[in-house]
């Protein structure tokens, strides 16, 4: 089964264990393929299951609310075993949902638009240039397109190519 979670949220992952054996069993459950730091209560639990009965065990996933928790699917596997060597497993994915923000600002705000008397004609210069500072503080790649909020006066233009910023990548990358 696939499940989704936002970085910074807590997600309950219930696991239902059946005992089809003719005797009481102690079953050990272990999560594999995930960052153990996302499971503050651990990735291994033990439960007793009576004959022909079932038991539900809950794991709590709490990925950190940081941009380095990259958006995407992470493989999750649950391994169950008993003292006699019997085992079973199930797998799915945890989908890390988009999180974070794009920070943007003008690097040097002291620059001002020249008035009509000091503006340079298009063939003599470029007028005023503003440098934009962009920071992707999210867990998803962002493409930024700058455009004027309204029509520019004749002779003025906005020259900015689209820019794609990778997500903060200091954390674990998703596994497919």
């Amino acid at each position: 089964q696939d499940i989704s979670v936002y970085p910074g949220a807590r997600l309950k992952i219930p696991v239902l264990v059946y005992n089809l054996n003719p005797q009481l069993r102690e079953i050990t459950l272990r999560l594999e393929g995930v960052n153990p730091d996302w499971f503050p209560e651990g990735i291994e639990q033990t439960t007793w299951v009576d004959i022909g009965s079932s038991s539900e065990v809950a794991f709590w996933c709490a990925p950190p609310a940081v941009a380095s928790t990259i958006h995407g699917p992470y493989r999750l596997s649950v391994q169950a075993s008993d003292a006699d060597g019997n085992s079973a497993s199930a797998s799915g994915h945890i989908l890390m949902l988009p999180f974070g923000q794009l920070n943007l600002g003008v690097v040097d705000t002291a620059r001002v638009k020249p008035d009509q008397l000091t503006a340079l004609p298009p063939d003599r210069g470029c007028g005023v240039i503003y440098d934009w500072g962009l920071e992707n503080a999210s867990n998803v790649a962002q493409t930024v397109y700058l455009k004027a909020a309204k029509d520019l006066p004749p002779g003025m233009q906005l020259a900015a190519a689209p820019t794609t910023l990778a997500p903060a990548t200091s954390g674990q990358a998703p596994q497919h």
Side-chain angles (χ1 to χ4, degrees):
Q1 178 179 343
D2 293 345
I3 49 182
S4 302
V5 64
Y6 285 101
R10 274 180 59 90
L11 172 69
K12 180 181 179 182
I13 302 173
V15 178
L16 189 58
V17 182
Y18 294 96
N19 179 9
L20 303 177
N21 291 300
Q23 54 189 307
L24 178 68
R25 294 285 178 175
E26 182 181 28
I27 308 294
T28 300
L29 299 165
R30 181 172 178 79
L31 299 180
E32 296 181 354
V34 292
N35 185 337
D37 294 339
W38 294 356
F39 294 84
E41 296 164 18
I43 59 169
E44 187 171 299
Q45 293 189 42
T46 302
T47 186
W48 286 94
V49 187
D50 207 354
I51 301 166
S53 188
S54 64
S55 176
E56 182 176 291
V57 174
F59 290 93
W60 287 93
C61 179
V66 294
S68 59
T69 306
I70 303 298
H71 165 66
Y74 293 80
R75 186 148 180 76
L76 171 68
S77 177
V78 180
Q79 304 293 323
S81 60
D82 66 15
D84 293 338
N86 298 310
S87 65
S89 66
S91 63
H93 290 89
I94 295 177
L95 176 61
M96 196 61 55
L97 296 171
F99 168 83
Q101 63 198 19
L102 178 67
N103 298 320
L104 122 113
V106 177
V107 175
D108 182 3
T109 58
R111 297 181 189 182
V112 295
K113 183 175 94 177
D115 62 27
Q116 293 293 338
L117 298 175
T118 59
L120 298 173
D123 62 341
R124 294 209 36 226
C126 59
V128 176
I129 297 174
Y130 289 96
D131 293 321
W132 291 87
L134 303 170
E135 175 196 13
N136 185 358
S138 78
N139 65 355
V140 179
Q142 303 283 338
T143 300
V144 178
Y145 300 88
L146 293 178
K147 72 176 203 171
K150 58 183 178 178
D151 291 336
L152 295 172
M156 292 185 76
Q157 65 180 3
L158 176 66
T163 301
T164 299
L165 302 169
T169 56
S170 61
Q172 178 184 359
Q175 302 168 357
H176 300 276

